[in-house]
Amino acid sequence: MELTNKIAAIPLFNGLPLKQHENLAAIAVQKTFKRGQIIFSEGDEGIGFYIILSGRVKIFKLSAEGKEQIFHIMESEEPFGEATVFAGEHYPASAQALVETKVLLFPRQTFVDLISKNPSLALNMLAFLSSRLRTLASLVEDLSLKEVPGRLAAYLLYLSDRNKGATILELDISKNQLASLLGTIPETLSRIFNRMGKDKLIKTTPRHIHILDHQGIVQLACGRKRLA
Amino acid sequence: MELTNKIAAIPLFNGLPLKQHENLAAIAVQKTFKRGQIIFSEGDEGIGFYIILSGRVKIFKLSAEGKEQIFHIMESEEPFGEATVFAGEHYPASAQALVETKVLLFPRQTFVDLISKNPSLALNMLAFLSSRLRTLASLVEDLSLKEVPGRLAAYLLYLSDRNKGATILELDISKNQLASLLGTIPETLSRIFNRMGKDKLIKTTPRHIHILDHQGIVQLACGRKRLA
DNA sequence: ACTTATGCTTGACTTAAGTCAAGGCGCAAC
DNA sequence: GTTGCGCCTTGACTTAAGTCAAGCATAAGT
């Protein structure tokens, strides 16, 4: 059946026996969210966790004054809302569909039952939570120990890596969103793009960023160099 | 045997059959670290994870210029270095004993073997990683969305909560360490203590902090109020 | 007791980044 | 088309927090 095949393709469920893929398909609930729709809000009761089938979702928190910090932007086959399954009653952050998005929802208790009978699923989940922990730790590091130019440089390197070391990068999120992801505001981000251009580290065209001095960007990201 | 009893008392191992406590005791390695000693450094190969038997450990990262961000300060029965067991080859941060500290080291592969045979251990570990994830998310929130006074206020509330709502708090870490934990520097922290005193929110004596206006501190922590 | 650290505070100054306000560009809708 | 609306940029200004430097107090070592 089609759903079972989709589930079999999800990295989190890698290496599970067919039988388990069928069990997962049996408890999963398909949902669709429109562009801009809130999937859950910080503080909502945690009903389960999600896996993206198609589309794009951002996980974020808002400050009292309305400033937004994006934690992750996730795409196909990535899970979110997972921490609430195993600890805590409420979602610690909000999730919003950035485009039309299809997800699978795995209800909390049924998923816990399943996992407690499947050590390899448990190990996959442990690996996933661990790598999520690393991502968050590096976000803390960036926010606390680097200035905005360093964070942007690190993000450009991440993009470049993700595209097999490409030197021409396409921004897949708006610069406003990127500012939120880097823990700053659009005005500051814009000025820093500008300065990086003047320093001949990058060249920006409307929708692309051309990396001119990869080594220089590495140094900026590690705090071994500053913009003029 | 004594070690088995100690292990049985560790929350992470709650609810496991006696047999498993014995298995854990069999693979655990006891180690002792002196005050100030580095347990592992960021980038070191991950040999396993630790549980504190006695003492105190800080988990931190350093910036290129030497600024420190403390992620956690951990005490008896708390695990650390756990993310590396399930994902990644190297420790993402450093660990240092703040006082003479005894730990148990669980070597990576043996622990993974054990966990893959024990769903309830796996679930305990999942719950622990999830709550660690929440802690980190709230650190990100604090760093990115709150100013230093708000972070300090949140920390004071955390201390007060931990002591059953006490209004007289004893600082169990130095103010320098507290500054690192809040993502700032001692000078700034000192000035903010000062301002909170002037606003009659707290009264500080050399080693204690007296909470005068709990409600005011809550508002400060939520960004609904600012210091004069 | 004297000296040396160490931790903490204070003051004067600098700076990164945020706020506020205005304007331009590009795209979609009417 | 042209109108309008996000998205992005720019300039002038403010501000939170960091840097540098000095001073003091407590605790520790000889």
Side-chain angles (χ1 to χ4, degrees), chain B residues 1 41-42 49 109 115 119 135 159 182 192 226:
Chain B
M1 187 226 193
S41 294
E42 180 174 353
F49 88 100
Q109 194 53 54
I115 223 171
T135 311
L159 277 188
L182 298 180
I192 287 168
R226 336 190 71 218

Side-chain angles (χ1 to χ4, degrees), chain A residues 147-148 184-185 188 191:
Chain A
E147 317 196 317
V148 183
T184 185
I185 54 172
T188 298
R191 290 182 235 269

Side-chain angles (χ1 to χ4, degrees), chain B residues 147-148 184-185 188 191 226:
Chain B
E147 316 194 317
V148 183
T184 185
I185 56 173
T188 298
R191 289 183 238 268
R226 336 190 71 218

Side-chain angles (χ1 to χ4, degrees), chain B residues 138-169:
Chain B
S138 107
L139 181 56
V140 170
E141 176 180 17
D142 286 357
L143 289 172
S144 165
L145 268 18
K146 289 179 185 164
E147 316 194 317
V148 183
R151 288 179 234 162
L152 175 56
Y155 185 77
L156 294 179
L157 294 176
Y158 156 77
L159 277 188
S160 169
D161 266 22
R162 212 180 54 172
N163 296 357
K164 305 161 192 157
T167 60
I168 298 185
L169 304 175

Side-chain angles (χ1 to χ4, degrees), chain A:
Chain A
M1 186 227 196
E2 203 208 345
L3 183 55
T4 307
N5 290 336
K6 279 186 192 166
I7 285 180
I10 292 169
L12 184 62
F13 300 137
N14 249 353
L16 293 182
L18 174 61
K19 174 93 185 132
Q20 292 313 325
H21 291 147
E22 286 166 358
N23 288 342
L24 283 163
I27 66 171
V29 181
Q30 279 204 52
K31 298 204 171 196
T32 301
F33 294 92
K34 287 196 283 277
R35 173 190 158 93
Q37 209 176 341
I38 297 292
I39 299 174
F40 54 75
S41 294
E42 180 175 351
D44 282 359
E45 193 194 347
I47 55 175
F49 88 101
Y50 296 81
I51 289 185
I52 301 177
L53 291 179
S54 71
R56 176 179 294 208
V57 172
K58 78 172 175 199
I59 307 295
F60 65 100
K61 286 201 185 207
L62 296 175
S63 76
E65 302 85 37
K67 189 188 167 192
E68 174 189 83
Q69 172 67 47
I70 297 180
F71 284 68
H72 313 279
I73 291 188
M74 273 154 334
E75 310 204 323
S76 262
E77 307 195 328
E78 295 189 86
F80 63 94
E82 67 294 325
T84 308
V85 171
F86 306 104
E89 292 290 308
H90 306 278
Y91 292 114
S94 305
Q96 181 181 27
L98 292 179
V99 296
E100 164 122 353
T101 298
K102 286 188 200 302
V103 300
L104 291 178
L105 168 60
F106 295 88
R108 186 180 181 146
Q109 194 53 54
T110 36
F111 188 71
V112 169
D113 291 346
L114 199 64
I115 222 171
S116 64
K117 292 182 197 115
N118 284 278
S120 72
L121 178 54
L123 282 175
N124 281 358
M125 200 72 200
L126 284 166
F128 172 73
L129 287 181
S130 297
S131 74
R132 180 58 65 81
L133 224 27
R134 285 170 175 271
T135 311
L136 263 193
S138 107
L139 181 55
V140 169
E141 176 180 15
D142 286 357
L143 289 173
S144 166
L145 302 176
K146 289 179 186 164
E147 317 196 317
V148 183
R151 287 179 233 162
L152 175 55
Y155 185 77
L156 294 179
L157 293 176
Y158 156 77
L159 278 187
S160 170
D161 265 22
R162 214 180 51 174
N163 297 359
K164 304 161 193 157
T167 60
I168 298 186
L169 304 175
E170 192 176 346
L171 269 193
D172 53 357
I173 53 177
S174 79
K175 291 187 177 168
N176 281 352
Q177 299 278 290
L178 179 55
S180 276
L181 193 57
L182 299 179
T184 185
I185 54 172
E187 291 95 322
T188 298
L189 181 62
S190 178
R191 290 182 235 269
I192 287 169
F193 267 122
N194 204 325
R195 287 204 278 157
M196 286 179 74
K198 281 184 188 148
D199 282 14
K200 306 266 187 261
L201 293 173
I202 57 173
K203 214 171 86 179
T204 56
T205 63
R207 203 92 209 142
H208 293 89
I209 297 163
H210 196 128
I211 294 194
L212 299 178
D213 178 0
H214 189 276
Q215 193 49 39
I217 294 176
V218 169
Q219 295 190 333
L220 189 59
C222 310
R224 281 202 301 273
K225 160 172 177 164
R226 337 191 71 219
L227 289 178

